[in-house]
Amino acid sequence: MNKNNLLRNILIGTGVAAVGGIGTKLAVDYLRNRDQEEVVDESQEEAQPTSAQEVAYATVATDSVQSFLDASFGDAGRYTPTRPPKVFEYQGQQYMVIWAYDNQKDKNQMLAFAYTDEGRKMIASVGYTANNTDYNVNLGNSPFCVDVNGEQITSGQGETSGAEEVDFVLA
């Protein structure tokens, strides 16, 4: 089975719409990009990573994440997407990372999920404002960390200084 079918299955299962085909990119470049990824022409064969340093990714329609957020958190409209989500596979594992605004708590939120045989698992939740950042991160057994103002957080619950942006990057 084509490994990228797993990415398509995640998109279908979550109701999130992909734009174009599956692409590949160096993980470090993909994860640092805060803008919409370049859309891969669907007529091309689905790309496969050629090294352990690459991700396979689907470019996601940001507005299509709203129904996933509403269904996942049971409070329609609480979270509103604020930047392009990331749905990708890295070293055989599938992930989805969403940046949204929490209208209930008046703060930005980064939510990261890993997809396993047992289903979807939240691996990072980070709420942030210019004054304060709170986090619940469980990335200790993964190659990732959460970057808050240059501070790399791999696990734990706590608070740190405020941030304008929070990134999900390689540790």
Side-chain angles (χ1 to χ4, degrees):
M1 178 171 121
N2 182 335
K3 292 285 278 178
N4 290 335
N5 287 342
L6 294 173
L7 282 180
R8 293 245 180 251
N9 290 343
I10 289 169
L11 293 165
I12 291 165
T14 59
V16 174
V19 181
I22 302 290
T24 59
K25 193 173 187 177
L26 282 175
V28 67
D29 295 336
Y30 174 75
L31 293 168
R32 285 283 178 196
N33 183 16
R34 292 179 177 166
D35 298 319
Q36 184 79 30
E37 288 296 328
E38 184 176 317
V39 175
V40 176
D41 190 326
E42 283 191 90
S43 66
Q44 293 182 16
E45 186 176 319
E46 289 196 351
Q48 295 285 330
T50 57
S51 77
Q53 284 72 47
E54 286 187 336
V55 297
Y57 69 90
T59 303
V60 174
T62 303
D63 59 356
S64 74
V65 175
Q66 187 66 59
S67 59
F68 168 78
L69 290 168
D70 291 348
S72 296
F73 296 98
D75 192 355
R78 175 177 175 182
Y79 293 100
T80 307
T82 57
R83 97 183 209 202
K86 294 191 177 290
V87 177
F88 64 99
E89 180 175 305
Y90 183 66
Q91 298 180 355
Q93 177 71 53
Q94 296 76 36
Y95 301 90
M96 179 164 57
V97 184
I98 298 173
W99 289 264
Y101 188 76
D102 183 337
N103 293 296
Q104 193 176 80
K105 295 189 177 178
D106 294 326
K107 63 182 176 179
N108 290 301
Q109 193 78 27
M110 186 206 72
L111 306 162
F113 305 91
Y115 286 82
T116 66
D117 292 339
E118 293 81 45
R120 179 180 73 222
K121 178 181 169 190
M122 185 178 287
I123 55 175
S125 175
V126 182
Y128 57 102
T129 67
N131 299 320
N132 185 37
T133 300
D134 61 83
Y135 60 88
N136 185 353
V137 177
N138 184 15
L139 298 171
N141 295 328
S142 81
F144 301 107
C145 68
V146 173
D147 182 318
V148 180
N149 298 322
E151 179 184 355
Q152 294 192 342
I153 302 167
T154 57
S155 65
Q157 269 184 281
E159 292 187 7
T160 189
S161 60
E164 294 299 318
E165 288 286 353
V166 169
D167 293 301
F168 186 85
V169 296
L170 290 172

